[in-house]
Amino acid sequence: MSAAEPGLTVALVGNPNTGKSTLFNALTGLRQRVGNYPGVTVARKSGQCDCGDGTKVELIDLPGLYSLSAASPDEQVVIDALSGHLADDRRPDAVVVVIDATNLLRNLFLASQLSELNLPVVLVLNQADVAAEQGLKINTELLSRRLGGIPVVLTSAWKGEGISAVRRAIGEALRARVRMPAVEWPPLVEEALADVAAGVAADIGRAPGRADVERLLFDSTTSVGQRLGWAAPRRDVVIRAARDKVRRAGYNPLAAEPLIHYERLRKLLEGVVQGGGNRTGGSAAVDQVLLHRVLGPVVFAGIMLGMFAAVFWLAKFPMQWISGGVDALKLGVAPLLDGMPMLQSLVTDGMIGGVGAFLAFLPQILILFLFVSILEDSGYMARAAFIMDRLFSWCGLNGKSFVPLLSGFACAIPGILSTRTIEDPKARLATAFAVPFMSCSARFPVYALMCAAFIGPLYGPGWESVVMVGMHCVGLLFAVPTAFVLTRFVLKVKPQPFVLELPRYQMPKPRDVLWRMWQNAAEFVSRAGTVIFAITIIVWALSYFPRDPAVEQRIRATAVGVAPAVVDAQVQSAYVEQSWMGRFGKSVQPIFDPCGFDWKITVGVLASFPAREVIVSTLGVTYSVGEGAEADSKHLQQVMRDAKWTEGPRVGTPIFSLAAILALMVFFALCSQCGPTVATLAQETGGWKWAAISFVYMTALAWLMAVAVYQGVSRLA
Amino acid sequence: MTPLSQLLPGQYGKLTSLNPERSVDQRLMALGLLPGMVLKLVRKAPLGDPLAIEFAGQVVSLRLTEAQTIIIDVAADCPIQRPRPQA
């Protein structure tokens, strides 16, 4: 992985939808390492590949792309990796270009661009089975000859055909080091390229690579100049002059590259492919239904409903097993540590609870990625984006934002993870930022408690439903303008063109689907999991310490003739009140006073920053009902209805007035009270910056809206 | 000379000009949509936007606003152009 490590590396490149990942999985046999490229949220996948003769090479699966003109971070990574400009990677020793055998011309454009990198190339014509079905006959020998004798292999990675031939071809490429012939540019274009190269060399003192020069000349925006340290005023003068030369050759400088490459490829492919009829026929027939004006949205809604139901309901069963297992483990371990109350609490509530806290997300992540992988691999995800794009484009998101936002209604964690399907980095970030606003299932117990304790008894079950539905819309109401402002005014990332290929439908390969589910779950556990564990321990410590035994003794001494359970509840309540968390809650209560929260609610709010559903059991503790209270606890509901202000201007009036409970619900609808979500945002946005912004923004917004609701409603009422 | 956005579903046309300064058009050119290429408007999304066009054996979706400046020469019954000359 590091530059110091010896051994050969081979890069795998190709257009999206060519079966590149399936080939990668087949070549590496799932002996893979997954990480991130430094500074960008692009996954780096590598694995060991046997060249058939015992030689092992490191195979790197680079992101799929159509062209080397770097428009997105994904594309930039490919260019940097292939030219050896990535911090941790050497320049690869050879490149395997994966090509869709049913559309050689378009796929070869990338290969033709890659010929400028002067690396040994293996050309893999994948999906040969589909090409054969379509009646295409490809003369691979002729193609190889025209490409300077590079190995050309026909494969069908889905069926596992031709894999060993690819292995041998990689070995051959590394031995013989045959390169593809470079493009013959028209003389004036060649001159223009030489001028740019000379300009760079004169200014930075060393000759640039050929591929870098082409990016500088042909791309309207490129970060190559920045990387080379070639500064603006001089650079612009040289490039403008060179582009004038290209214009004199009869080409628009920004269109010259595809025009010349495609012209070359058309000649190169003459006589290589024979036959072939309607290549989009089968999928077009399916699209007649799936993209139909009426049927299309109906089928789409059905699929999405199924997916949501699975993430929301189906995941509950394994989640219950996990929490059951965690509880059983706590009960099993607790007696071993009897007599050491601090250690007992640390191990059971802190450590085991911390592991349970992130394990509980795994079922939802696995189920969502089962769906996402199937939708993507089958080709339906692009159609879903096509159907939904209109609803999202106006606020800077795109059709692919739908799946992450929908799954956010079950849980934000898998929702944020699934923003990886969005190619446009701007829309991806804005979607990830909007997902935590969706009313996730952890907010449900909070609404349920408030509705069951107050709205239902006071206004009837009708209003209970209205409030429930209303609360689920609050987040959406704020998420959409947030995304709009973010993409329009805040994010300075260059927007990506929403040009989406609607690929041929294909049966997903179970191994690829399972592997992707596993990879996402493993990455979540190893990255976000550790953060979640740490947060749980910290919050445990804050609400455990300091623990003065005198507090307990005083209560037990005065409580004569009171039921033991009541005494225990009072002891817990007293301990929490004088813990750091309780003291902190009391001291910051004035901040939450305008929202109508007393110190007990404030402690609940603070304690539920790692996980919002904790508010219910925390209120149970602070209101002396005892540990483990749930939303349907009649006792807790009664205690809350009876709670009155004991001091201040509102003394004697109920704490949980209509204004206060609405303010509390709005606060929970908007506040960033989920440690795992913040950790996942950091994981997926490549650093803590956006996670911190999201946390501060959501929390400040929640406070403002809670104040507005409390002040507004109490003045009206 | 018609903007691509005004083509009807099922209608063919020959690409006359696009705007190489724009990233959408650059992406389309990389996919092989170059002047002279025949394309077909396959369909519009259920909400009328985006569009799906077919050229060079592939179906690609792009937004209506971006299709407005892509200029097409509409030919009534022009078959989709084969990307490869026949042997």
Side-chain angles (χ1 to χ4, degrees), chain A residues 66 75 103 106 109 220 252 262 279-280 386 389 398 497 499-500 502, chain B residues 20 24 26-27 29-32 54 56 58-61 63 83:
Chain A
Y66 294 108
E75 289 162 339
N103 197 345
R106 190 261 272 169
F109 174 67
S220 53
N252 180 317
Y262 271 104
R279 280 172 302 153
T280 53
F386 181 69
D389 187 61
N398 69 42
V499 173
L500 188 70
L502 303 181
Chain B
V24 170
Q26 287 163 11
R27 171 58 49 86
M29 288 191 294
L31 292 173
E54 183 181 342
Q58 61 195 329
V59 181
V60 167
S61 144
R63 286 180 178 154

PDB file of all heavy atoms in Angstrom, chain A residues 66 75 103 106 109 220 252 262 279-280 386 389 398 497 499-500 502, chain B residues 20 24 26-27 29-32 54 56 58-61 63 83:
ATOM      1  N   TYR A  66     -15.864   7.931 -17.463  1.00  0.00           N
ATOM      2  CA  TYR A  66     -16.042   7.940 -18.914  1.00  0.00           C
ATOM      3  C   TYR A  66     -14.887   8.619 -19.624  1.00  0.00           C
ATOM      4  O   TYR A  66     -14.624   8.375 -20.781  1.00  0.00           O
ATOM      5  CB  TYR A  66     -17.342   8.655 -19.286  1.00  0.00           C
ATOM      6  CG  TYR A  66     -18.586   7.933 -18.831  1.00  0.00           C
ATOM      7  CD1 TYR A  66     -19.350   8.421 -17.786  1.00  0.00           C
ATOM      8  CD2 TYR A  66     -18.994   6.758 -19.456  1.00  0.00           C
ATOM      9  CE1 TYR A  66     -20.494   7.751 -17.362  1.00  0.00           C
ATOM     10  CE2 TYR A  66     -20.137   6.088 -19.048  1.00  0.00           C
ATOM     11  CZ  TYR A  66     -20.882   6.587 -17.998  1.00  0.00           C
ATOM     12  OH  TYR A  66     -22.008   5.922 -17.582  1.00  0.00           O
ATOM     13  N   GLU A  75     -12.821  11.171 -10.765  1.00  0.00           N
ATOM     14  CA  GLU A  75     -12.014  11.214 -11.977  1.00  0.00           C
ATOM     15  C   GLU A  75     -10.617  11.739 -11.676  1.00  0.00           C
ATOM     16  O   GLU A  75      -9.634  11.266 -12.231  1.00  0.00           O
ATOM     17  CB  GLU A  75     -12.718  12.075 -13.033  1.00  0.00           C
ATOM     18  CG  GLU A  75     -13.941  11.388 -13.584  1.00  0.00           C
ATOM     19  CD  GLU A  75     -14.905  12.327 -14.292  1.00  0.00           C
ATOM     20  OE1 GLU A  75     -14.856  13.547 -14.043  1.00  0.00           O
ATOM     21  OE2 GLU A  75     -15.703  11.843 -15.085  1.00  0.00           O
ATOM     22  N   ASN A 103     -20.311  -2.224 -26.727  1.00  0.00           N
ATOM     23  CA  ASN A 103     -20.195  -0.845 -27.185  1.00  0.00           C
ATOM     24  C   ASN A 103     -18.727  -0.418 -27.198  1.00  0.00           C
ATOM     25  O   ASN A 103     -18.290   0.403 -26.400  1.00  0.00           O
ATOM     26  CB  ASN A 103     -21.025   0.079 -26.288  1.00  0.00           C
ATOM     27  CG  ASN A 103     -21.271   1.427 -26.949  1.00  0.00           C
ATOM     28  OD1 ASN A 103     -20.607   1.771 -27.927  1.00  0.00           O
ATOM     29  ND2 ASN A 103     -22.215   2.184 -26.420  1.00  0.00           N
ATOM     30  N   ARG A 106     -17.574   3.634 -27.780  1.00  0.00           N
ATOM     31  CA  ARG A 106     -17.657   4.572 -26.668  1.00  0.00           C
ATOM     32  C   ARG A 106     -16.684   4.195 -25.553  1.00  0.00           C
ATOM     33  O   ARG A 106     -16.038   5.059 -24.963  1.00  0.00           O
ATOM     34  CB  ARG A 106     -19.099   4.608 -26.137  1.00  0.00           C
ATOM     35  CG  ARG A 106     -19.351   5.699 -25.149  1.00  0.00           C
ATOM     36  CD  ARG A 106     -19.309   5.204 -23.744  1.00  0.00           C
ATOM     37  NE  ARG A 106     -20.613   4.721 -23.321  1.00  0.00           N
ATOM     38  CZ  ARG A 106     -20.816   4.046 -22.228  1.00  0.00           C
ATOM     39  NH1 ARG A 106     -19.801   3.721 -21.446  1.00  0.00           N
ATOM     40  NH2 ARG A 106     -22.016   3.630 -21.920  1.00  0.00           N
ATOM     41  N   PHE A 109     -12.919   5.146 -26.020  1.00  0.00           N
ATOM     42  CA  PHE A 109     -12.499   6.545 -25.885  1.00  0.00           C
ATOM     43  C   PHE A 109     -11.578   6.702 -24.669  1.00  0.00           C
ATOM     44  O   PHE A 109     -10.510   7.312 -24.760  1.00  0.00           O
ATOM     45  CB  PHE A 109     -13.731   7.450 -25.746  1.00  0.00           C
ATOM     46  CG  PHE A 109     -13.377   8.885 -25.460  1.00  0.00           C
ATOM     47  CD1 PHE A 109     -12.732   9.657 -26.409  1.00  0.00           C
ATOM     48  CD2 PHE A 109     -13.685   9.460 -24.227  1.00  0.00           C
ATOM     49  CE1 PHE A 109     -12.399  10.980 -26.145  1.00  0.00           C
ATOM     50  CE2 PHE A 109     -13.341  10.777 -23.958  1.00  0.00           C
ATOM     51  CZ  PHE A 109     -12.707  11.542 -24.917  1.00  0.00           C
ATOM     52  N   SER A 220     -11.541  22.672 -19.825  1.00  0.00           N
ATOM     53  CA  SER A 220     -11.882  24.050 -19.463  1.00  0.00           C
ATOM     54  C   SER A 220     -11.471  24.343 -18.023  1.00  0.00           C
ATOM     55  O   SER A 220     -11.048  25.445 -17.702  1.00  0.00           O
ATOM     56  CB  SER A 220     -13.376  24.305 -19.666  1.00  0.00           C
ATOM     57  OG  SER A 220     -14.123  23.338 -18.987  1.00  0.00           O
ATOM     58  N   ASN A 252     -12.566  23.423 -32.250  1.00  0.00           N
ATOM     59  CA  ASN A 252     -12.815  24.116 -30.994  1.00  0.00           C
ATOM     60  C   ASN A 252     -11.912  23.449 -29.951  1.00  0.00           C
ATOM     61  O   ASN A 252     -11.968  22.227 -29.783  1.00  0.00           O
ATOM     62  CB  ASN A 252     -14.291  23.965 -30.602  1.00  0.00           C
ATOM     63  CG  ASN A 252     -14.616  24.673 -29.302  1.00  0.00           C
ATOM     64  OD1 ASN A 252     -13.854  24.592 -28.338  1.00  0.00           O
ATOM     65  ND2 ASN A 252     -15.737  25.357 -29.292  1.00  0.00           N
ATOM     66  N   TYR A 262     -12.262  10.093 -31.365  1.00  0.00           N
ATOM     67  CA  TYR A 262     -13.327   9.290 -31.985  1.00  0.00           C
ATOM     68  C   TYR A 262     -13.036   9.050 -33.463  1.00  0.00           C
ATOM     69  O   TYR A 262     -13.357   7.990 -34.002  1.00  0.00           O
ATOM     70  CB  TYR A 262     -14.700   9.946 -31.780  1.00  0.00           C
ATOM     71  CG  TYR A 262     -15.359   9.509 -30.492  1.00  0.00           C
ATOM     72  CD1 TYR A 262     -15.399  10.346 -29.383  1.00  0.00           C
ATOM     73  CD2 TYR A 262     -15.910   8.243 -30.367  1.00  0.00           C
ATOM     74  CE1 TYR A 262     -15.984   9.938 -28.189  1.00  0.00           C
ATOM     75  CE2 TYR A 262     -16.490   7.826 -29.183  1.00  0.00           C
ATOM     76  CZ  TYR A 262     -16.534   8.671 -28.097  1.00  0.00           C
ATOM     77  OH  TYR A 262     -17.098   8.257 -26.925  1.00  0.00           O
ATOM     78  N   ARG A 279     -29.043  -2.940 -30.231  1.00  0.00           N
ATOM     79  CA  ARG A 279     -28.302  -3.225 -29.018  1.00  0.00           C
ATOM     80  C   ARG A 279     -28.999  -2.752 -27.751  1.00  0.00           C
ATOM     81  O   ARG A 279     -28.608  -3.109 -26.655  1.00  0.00           O
ATOM     82  CB  ARG A 279     -26.910  -2.619 -29.121  1.00  0.00           C
ATOM     83  CG  ARG A 279     -26.013  -3.511 -29.951  1.00  0.00           C
ATOM     84  CD  ARG A 279     -24.717  -2.840 -30.229  1.00  0.00           C
ATOM     85  NE  ARG A 279     -24.941  -1.588 -30.923  1.00  0.00           N
ATOM     86  CZ  ARG A 279     -24.102  -0.572 -30.852  1.00  0.00           C
ATOM     87  NH1 ARG A 279     -23.048  -0.632 -30.096  1.00  0.00           N
ATOM     88  NH2 ARG A 279     -24.343   0.522 -31.536  1.00  0.00           N
ATOM     89  N   THR A 280     -30.001  -1.901 -27.889  1.00  0.00           N
ATOM     90  CA  THR A 280     -30.686  -1.456 -26.680  1.00  0.00           C
ATOM     91  C   THR A 280     -32.079  -2.069 -26.602  1.00  0.00           C
ATOM     92  O   THR A 280     -32.884  -1.678 -25.774  1.00  0.00           O
ATOM     93  CB  THR A 280     -30.795   0.081 -26.649  1.00  0.00           C
ATOM     94  OG1 THR A 280     -31.385   0.504 -27.877  1.00  0.00           O
ATOM     95  CG2 THR A 280     -29.434   0.710 -26.500  1.00  0.00           C
ATOM     96  N   PHE A 386     -33.866   8.816 -12.751  1.00  0.00           N
ATOM     97  CA  PHE A 386     -34.509   9.436 -13.917  1.00  0.00           C
ATOM     98  C   PHE A 386     -35.946   9.846 -13.578  1.00  0.00           C
ATOM     99  O   PHE A 386     -36.392  10.947 -13.899  1.00  0.00           O
ATOM    100  CB  PHE A 386     -34.486   8.424 -15.073  1.00  0.00           C
ATOM    101  CG  PHE A 386     -35.096   8.902 -16.358  1.00  0.00           C
ATOM    102  CD1 PHE A 386     -34.490   9.900 -17.109  1.00  0.00           C
ATOM    103  CD2 PHE A 386     -36.269   8.324 -16.848  1.00  0.00           C
ATOM    104  CE1 PHE A 386     -35.034  10.329 -18.307  1.00  0.00           C
ATOM    105  CE2 PHE A 386     -36.822   8.746 -18.046  1.00  0.00           C
ATOM    106  CZ  PHE A 386     -36.207   9.749 -18.772  1.00  0.00           C
ATOM    107  N   ASP A 389     -35.758  12.751 -10.610  1.00  0.00           N
ATOM    108  CA  ASP A 389     -34.862  13.909 -10.687  1.00  0.00           C
ATOM    109  C   ASP A 389     -35.590  15.255 -10.637  1.00  0.00           C
ATOM    110  O   ASP A 389     -35.153  16.186  -9.971  1.00  0.00           O
ATOM    111  CB  ASP A 389     -34.004  13.826 -11.949  1.00  0.00           C
ATOM    112  CG  ASP A 389     -32.958  14.924 -11.969  1.00  0.00           C
ATOM    113  OD1 ASP A 389     -32.126  14.931 -11.053  1.00  0.00           O
ATOM    114  OD2 ASP A 389     -32.990  15.774 -12.876  1.00  0.00           O
ATOM    115  N   ASN A 398     -30.230  15.731  -6.713  1.00  0.00           N
ATOM    116  CA  ASN A 398     -30.661  15.082  -7.941  1.00  0.00           C
ATOM    117  C   ASN A 398     -31.427  13.807  -7.650  1.00  0.00           C
ATOM    118  O   ASN A 398     -31.633  13.453  -6.490  1.00  0.00           O
ATOM    119  CB  ASN A 398     -29.497  14.869  -8.922  1.00  0.00           C
ATOM    120  CG  ASN A 398     -28.498  13.833  -8.448  1.00  0.00           C
ATOM    121  OD1 ASN A 398     -28.869  12.782  -7.931  1.00  0.00           O
ATOM    122  ND2 ASN A 398     -27.226  14.134  -8.614  1.00  0.00           N
ATOM    123  N   PRO A 497     -22.307  17.709 -14.216  1.00  0.00           N
ATOM    124  CA  PRO A 497     -23.416  17.579 -15.149  1.00  0.00           C
ATOM    125  C   PRO A 497     -24.244  16.358 -14.774  1.00  0.00           C
ATOM    126  O   PRO A 497     -23.682  15.315 -14.424  1.00  0.00           O
ATOM    127  CB  PRO A 497     -22.719  17.363 -16.493  1.00  0.00           C
ATOM    128  CG  PRO A 497     -21.360  16.849 -16.158  1.00  0.00           C
ATOM    129  CD  PRO A 497     -21.003  17.457 -14.839  1.00  0.00           C
ATOM    130  N   VAL A 499     -25.612  13.961 -16.297  1.00  0.00           N
ATOM    131  CA  VAL A 499     -25.724  13.144 -17.504  1.00  0.00           C
ATOM    132  C   VAL A 499     -25.597  11.714 -17.035  1.00  0.00           C
ATOM    133  O   VAL A 499     -24.559  11.297 -16.554  1.00  0.00           O
ATOM    134  CB  VAL A 499     -24.609  13.484 -18.515  1.00  0.00           C
ATOM    135  CG1 VAL A 499     -24.640  12.509 -19.677  1.00  0.00           C
ATOM    136  CG2 VAL A 499     -24.777  14.904 -19.008  1.00  0.00           C
ATOM    137  N   LEU A 500     -26.714  11.002 -17.140  1.00  0.00           N
ATOM    138  CA  LEU A 500     -26.793   9.706 -16.489  1.00  0.00           C
ATOM    139  C   LEU A 500     -27.010   8.642 -17.548  1.00  0.00           C
ATOM    140  O   LEU A 500     -27.944   8.738 -18.334  1.00  0.00           O
ATOM    141  CB  LEU A 500     -27.984   9.756 -15.524  1.00  0.00           C
ATOM    142  CG  LEU A 500     -28.194   8.612 -14.589  1.00  0.00           C
ATOM    143  CD1 LEU A 500     -27.104   8.598 -13.537  1.00  0.00           C
ATOM    144  CD2 LEU A 500     -29.552   8.765 -13.921  1.00  0.00           C
ATOM    145  N   LEU A 502     -28.407   5.274 -18.805  1.00  0.00           N
ATOM    146  CA  LEU A 502     -29.400   4.279 -18.402  1.00  0.00           C
ATOM    147  C   LEU A 502     -28.892   2.953 -18.945  1.00  0.00           C
ATOM    148  O   LEU A 502     -29.130   2.611 -20.092  1.00  0.00           O
ATOM    149  CB  LEU A 502     -30.791   4.619 -18.961  1.00  0.00           C
ATOM    150  CG  LEU A 502     -31.349   5.992 -18.585  1.00  0.00           C
ATOM    151  CD1 LEU A 502     -32.739   6.195 -19.174  1.00  0.00           C
ATOM    152  CD2 LEU A 502     -31.410   6.181 -17.077  1.00  0.00           C
TER     153      LEU A 502
ATOM    154  N   PRO B  20     -19.300  23.481 -26.302  1.00  0.00           N
ATOM    155  CA  PRO B  20     -18.176  22.781 -25.665  1.00  0.00           C
ATOM    156  C   PRO B  20     -17.690  23.426 -24.374  1.00  0.00           C
ATOM    157  O   PRO B  20     -16.930  22.807 -23.635  1.00  0.00           O
ATOM    158  CB  PRO B  20     -17.069  22.828 -26.720  1.00  0.00           C
ATOM    159  CG  PRO B  20     -17.749  23.188 -27.986  1.00  0.00           C
ATOM    160  CD  PRO B  20     -18.937  24.003 -27.614  1.00  0.00           C
ATOM    161  N   VAL B  24     -21.793  19.712 -19.187  1.00  0.00           N
ATOM    162  CA  VAL B  24     -22.736  18.697 -19.668  1.00  0.00           C
ATOM    163  C   VAL B  24     -22.372  18.284 -21.085  1.00  0.00           C
ATOM    164  O   VAL B  24     -22.323  17.090 -21.422  1.00  0.00           O
ATOM    165  CB  VAL B  24     -24.180  19.244 -19.654  1.00  0.00           C
ATOM    166  CG1 VAL B  24     -25.118  18.291 -20.363  1.00  0.00           C
ATOM    167  CG2 VAL B  24     -24.638  19.481 -18.236  1.00  0.00           C
ATOM    168  N   GLN B  26     -19.513  18.622 -22.542  1.00  0.00           N
ATOM    169  CA  GLN B  26     -18.216  17.933 -22.557  1.00  0.00           C
ATOM    170  C   GLN B  26     -18.400  16.448 -22.236  1.00  0.00           C
ATOM    171  O   GLN B  26     -17.796  15.583 -22.867  1.00  0.00           O
ATOM    172  CB  GLN B  26     -17.263  18.577 -21.538  1.00  0.00           C
ATOM    173  CG  GLN B  26     -16.752  19.938 -21.992  1.00  0.00           C
ATOM    174  CD  GLN B  26     -16.147  20.756 -20.861  1.00  0.00           C
ATOM    175  OE1 GLN B  26     -15.926  20.245 -19.764  1.00  0.00           O
ATOM    176  NE2 GLN B  26     -15.886  22.015 -21.126  1.00  0.00           N
ATOM    177  N   ARG B  27     -19.277  16.186 -21.263  1.00  0.00           N
ATOM    178  CA  ARG B  27     -19.540  14.793 -20.912  1.00  0.00           C
ATOM    179  C   ARG B  27     -20.203  14.057 -22.079  1.00  0.00           C
ATOM    180  O   ARG B  27     -19.846  12.934 -22.409  1.00  0.00           O
ATOM    181  CB  ARG B  27     -20.424  14.743 -19.658  1.00  0.00           C
ATOM    182  CG  ARG B  27     -20.967  13.402 -19.252  1.00  0.00           C
ATOM    183  CD  ARG B  27     -19.922  12.356 -18.991  1.00  0.00           C
ATOM    184  NE  ARG B  27     -18.834  12.752 -18.135  1.00  0.00           N
ATOM    185  CZ  ARG B  27     -18.859  12.687 -16.803  1.00  0.00           C
ATOM    186  NH1 ARG B  27     -19.905  12.249 -16.177  1.00  0.00           N
ATOM    187  NH2 ARG B  27     -17.813  13.039 -16.099  1.00  0.00           N
ATOM    188  N   MET B  29     -19.927  14.748 -25.229  1.00  0.00           N
ATOM    189  CA  MET B  29     -18.924  14.527 -26.277  1.00  0.00           C
ATOM    190  C   MET B  29     -18.045  13.333 -25.936  1.00  0.00           C
ATOM    191  O   MET B  29     -17.702  12.531 -26.801  1.00  0.00           O
ATOM    192  CB  MET B  29     -18.068  15.785 -26.467  1.00  0.00           C
ATOM    193  CG  MET B  29     -18.810  16.919 -27.146  1.00  0.00           C
ATOM    194  SD  MET B  29     -17.713  18.266 -27.646  1.00  0.00           S
ATOM    195  CE  MET B  29     -17.160  18.896 -26.080  1.00  0.00           C
ATOM    196  N   ALA B  30     -17.695  13.204 -24.656  1.00  0.00           N
ATOM    197  CA  ALA B  30     -16.871  12.063 -24.242  1.00  0.00           C
ATOM    198  C   ALA B  30     -17.621  10.762 -24.483  1.00  0.00           C
ATOM    199  O   ALA B  30     -17.022   9.728 -24.758  1.00  0.00           O
ATOM    200  CB  ALA B  30     -16.490  12.200 -22.775  1.00  0.00           C
ATOM    201  N   LEU B  31     -18.956  10.816 -24.398  1.00  0.00           N
ATOM    202  CA  LEU B  31     -19.765   9.621 -24.654  1.00  0.00           C
ATOM    203  C   LEU B  31     -19.960   9.395 -26.150  1.00  0.00           C
ATOM    204  O   LEU B  31     -20.626   8.449 -26.554  1.00  0.00           O
ATOM    205  CB  LEU B  31     -21.130   9.749 -23.963  1.00  0.00           C
ATOM    206  CG  LEU B  31     -21.115   9.713 -22.433  1.00  0.00           C
ATOM    207  CD1 LEU B  31     -22.488  10.026 -21.869  1.00  0.00           C
ATOM    208  CD2 LEU B  31     -20.648   8.347 -21.938  1.00  0.00           C
ATOM    209  N   GLY B  32     -19.437  10.284 -26.957  1.00  0.00           N
ATOM    210  CA  GLY B  32     -19.488  10.079 -28.404  1.00  0.00           C
ATOM    211  C   GLY B  32     -20.549  10.891 -29.117  1.00  0.00           C
ATOM    212  O   GLY B  32     -20.791  10.669 -30.304  1.00  0.00           O
ATOM    213  N   GLU B  54     -31.039   8.439 -27.150  1.00  0.00           N
ATOM    214  CA  GLU B  54     -30.261   7.282 -27.564  1.00  0.00           C
ATOM    215  C   GLU B  54     -29.327   7.694 -28.689  1.00  0.00           C
ATOM    216  O   GLU B  54     -29.736   8.367 -29.636  1.00  0.00           O
ATOM    217  CB  GLU B  54     -31.200   6.169 -28.047  1.00  0.00           C
ATOM    218  CG  GLU B  54     -30.462   4.903 -28.433  1.00  0.00           C
ATOM    219  CD  GLU B  54     -31.396   3.799 -28.932  1.00  0.00           C
ATOM    220  OE1 GLU B  54     -32.615   3.873 -28.660  1.00  0.00           O
ATOM    221  OE2 GLU B  54     -30.898   2.893 -29.609  1.00  0.00           O
ATOM    222  N   ALA B  56     -25.367   6.142 -30.540  1.00  0.00           N
ATOM    223  CA  ALA B  56     -24.222   5.234 -30.509  1.00  0.00           C
ATOM    224  C   ALA B  56     -24.468   4.042 -29.590  1.00  0.00           C
ATOM    225  O   ALA B  56     -23.599   3.649 -28.824  1.00  0.00           O
ATOM    226  CB  ALA B  56     -22.954   5.983 -30.086  1.00  0.00           C
ATOM    227  N   GLN B  58     -26.378   3.560 -26.954  1.00  0.00           N
ATOM    228  CA  GLN B  58     -26.525   3.749 -25.512  1.00  0.00           C
ATOM    229  C   GLN B  58     -27.665   4.719 -25.239  1.00  0.00           C
ATOM    230  O   GLN B  58     -28.009   5.547 -26.085  1.00  0.00           O
ATOM    231  CB  GLN B  58     -25.232   4.292 -24.922  1.00  0.00           C
ATOM    232  CG  GLN B  58     -24.855   5.638 -25.515  1.00  0.00           C
ATOM    233  CD  GLN B  58     -23.427   6.037 -25.229  1.00  0.00           C
ATOM    234  OE1 GLN B  58     -22.882   5.667 -24.200  1.00  0.00           O
ATOM    235  NE2 GLN B  58     -22.815   6.789 -26.132  1.00  0.00           N
ATOM    236  N   VAL B  59     -28.248   4.609 -24.050  1.00  0.00           N
ATOM    237  CA  VAL B  59     -29.315   5.527 -23.649  1.00  0.00           C
ATOM    238  C   VAL B  59     -28.781   6.386 -22.501  1.00  0.00           C
ATOM    239  O   VAL B  59     -28.233   5.872 -21.530  1.00  0.00           O
ATOM    240  CB  VAL B  59     -30.581   4.766 -23.203  1.00  0.00           C
ATOM    241  CG1 VAL B  59     -31.677   5.751 -22.828  1.00  0.00           C
ATOM    242  CG2 VAL B  59     -31.049   3.839 -24.308  1.00  0.00           C
ATOM    243  N   VAL B  60     -28.928   7.694 -22.651  1.00  0.00           N
ATOM    244  CA  VAL B  60     -28.360   8.631 -21.704  1.00  0.00           C
ATOM    245  C   VAL B  60     -29.434   9.640 -21.328  1.00  0.00           C
ATOM    246  O   VAL B  60     -30.239  10.041 -22.168  1.00  0.00           O
ATOM    247  CB  VAL B  60     -27.134   9.337 -22.335  1.00  0.00           C
ATOM    248  CG1 VAL B  60     -26.719  10.535 -21.522  1.00  0.00           C
ATOM    249  CG2 VAL B  60     -25.984   8.363 -22.485  1.00  0.00           C
ATOM    250  N   SER B  61     -29.462  10.026 -20.044  1.00  0.00           N
ATOM    251  CA  SER B  61     -30.465  10.976 -19.584  1.00  0.00           C
ATOM    252  C   SER B  61     -29.808  12.334 -19.346  1.00  0.00           C
ATOM    253  O   SER B  61     -28.685  12.414 -18.850  1.00  0.00           O
ATOM    254  CB  SER B  61     -31.083  10.428 -18.300  1.00  0.00           C
ATOM    255  OG  SER B  61     -31.376  11.463 -17.409  1.00  0.00           O
ATOM    256  N   ARG B  63     -30.955  16.769 -18.477  1.00  0.00           N
ATOM    257  CA  ARG B  63     -32.054  17.636 -18.048  1.00  0.00           C
ATOM    258  C   ARG B  63     -32.520  18.543 -19.182  1.00  0.00           C
ATOM    259  O   ARG B  63     -31.744  18.925 -20.055  1.00  0.00           O
ATOM    260  CB  ARG B  63     -31.614  18.474 -16.853  1.00  0.00           C
ATOM    261  CG  ARG B  63     -31.533  17.652 -15.584  1.00  0.00           C
ATOM    262  CD  ARG B  63     -31.111  18.478 -14.403  1.00  0.00           C
ATOM    263  NE  ARG B  63     -31.092  17.663 -13.193  1.00  0.00           N
ATOM    264  CZ  ARG B  63     -30.329  17.924 -12.146  1.00  0.00           C
ATOM    265  NH1 ARG B  63     -29.523  18.978 -12.155  1.00  0.00           N
ATOM    266  NH2 ARG B  63     -30.366  17.146 -11.093  1.00  0.00           N
ATOM    267  N   PRO B  83     -22.623   3.268 -35.062  1.00  0.00           N
ATOM    268  CA  PRO B  83     -21.356   3.877 -34.674  1.00  0.00           C
ATOM    269  C   PRO B  83     -20.185   3.276 -35.446  1.00  0.00           C
ATOM    270  O   PRO B  83     -19.155   3.890 -35.589  1.00  0.00           O
ATOM    271  CB  PRO B  83     -21.250   3.543 -33.183  1.00  0.00           C
ATOM    272  CG  PRO B  83     -22.117   2.363 -32.989  1.00  0.00           C
ATOM    273  CD  PRO B  83     -23.203   2.436 -34.015  1.00  0.00           C
TER     274      PRO B  83
END
